[in-house]
Each structure stands twice: as structure tokens, then as C-alpha cells.
Amino acid sequence: MANKKTLILFPLITQGIFSLFLPFFHAFHLKGLTDVFILTTVPAFLFALVCVYYQFHQRNLVQIAFFSGAISFFYTLTVLSFFLFQETFTEPMSLWEQSLALLFYAMMFALPSMMYAMVVLRLLLRKAPKT
């Protein structure tokens, strides 16, 4: 029952922390907040669902890192593909350049997501049961 608060608190903390960086990029407006919501808060909620479903506790570091990275990687691949499809570029990119860029951006989002989840999510999960 204690993990249910993770469904609400983890995405809210994620939205708050990443929104704090928006003024540094002069993007503290509705579109910037929407982008933060789409790129960070939704995957955080999806990962919180995984944590509640599998009943992770604080000592499940390997599972937390794996699922957080995997969800973030595949979610970023999907979402950035749609963003890239909607953008109009002044200089066209070849397909292999776009694919390589998407893979690197997905890894760039997945690795910090793993670290962030292992630090912040451990504060919200319950302690391991004593054996």
C-alpha cells in the first residue's frame, strides 16, 4: 500500500525538478512545460506503474535501473520520432543520420533517467522485508 503514493509523487517531483531548469533555457512558458511533461513526467509515471505492479522496494536497484532505462529509452525513441517527423529542417538529414541521432538522444535520456530513478525513487519506496 505504501508504493501507491509513488504513482502520484514520483511524476510530480519529476515535473517540478525538470521545470526548474526551464528558465536557464528561456523556455519557462506553456510549450516548455508541455515538453517537460511529455519527455520526463509521462515516462516517470509509466515507471511508477511498473514499480507498483512489481512491488519494488528500496533494495531493487538493478530492477529500478533496468526498467527505468528501458522505459525511458523506448519512450524517447517513440516520442522523438514523432517530434522529428513534425519538424521542418532547413538542411535535410539522411535517414541514417536521423536514426543515429535518435539512438544517441534516446541513450542520452535513458542514462540520466536511470540515475535519477535510483536516487529519487528509493526515497519513495518501502524498505525491503526482513527475512
Side-chain angles (χ1 to χ4, degrees):
M1 191 61 120
N3 281 351
K4 300 275 182 184
K5 69 180 177 188
T6 305
L7 287 174
I8 296 171
L9 290 178
F10 187 60
L12 282 176
I13 292 170
T14 304
Q15 179 75 30
I17 287 174
F18 285 95
S19 295
L20 291 175
F21 291 106
L22 289 177
F24 296 113
F25 300 106
H26 305 291
F28 196 72
H29 44 72
L30 187 58
K31 183 177 178 344
L33 289 172
T34 304
D35 290 345
V36 167
F37 178 78
I38 290 171
L39 291 173
T40 62
T41 307
V42 172
F45 178 73
L46 293 173
F47 181 58
L49 281 174
V50 169
C51 287
V52 169
Y53 180 76
Y54 287 111
Q55 298 178 355
F56 286 162
H57 48 78
Q58 289 180 350
R59 290 195 178 172
N60 290 108
L61 287 180
V62 173
Q63 292 90 345
I64 290 172
F66 174 76
F67 281 113
S68 173
I71 288 171
S72 181
F73 181 79
F74 290 115
Y75 181 82
T76 304
L77 274 179
T78 306
V79 170
L80 285 182
S81 296
F82 286 118
F83 280 167
L84 190 64
F85 181 71
Q86 293 176 353
E87 289 290 322
T88 56
F89 295 107
T90 58
E91 188 175 312
M93 293 174 65
S94 67
L95 184 61
W96 72 270
E97 287 175 331
Q98 285 181 354
S99 301
L100 197 59
L102 279 174
L103 285 174
F104 282 135
Y105 274 118
M107 282 190 279
M108 219 168 61
F109 274 77
L111 295 176
S113 174
M114 289 168 45
M115 304 276 279
Y116 170 75
M118 287 192 318
V119 171
V120 174
L121 196 60
R122 285 190 67 206
L123 302 174
L124 300 175
L125 295 176
R126 65 175 192 245
K127 295 185 182 205
K130 295 187 180 195
T131 55

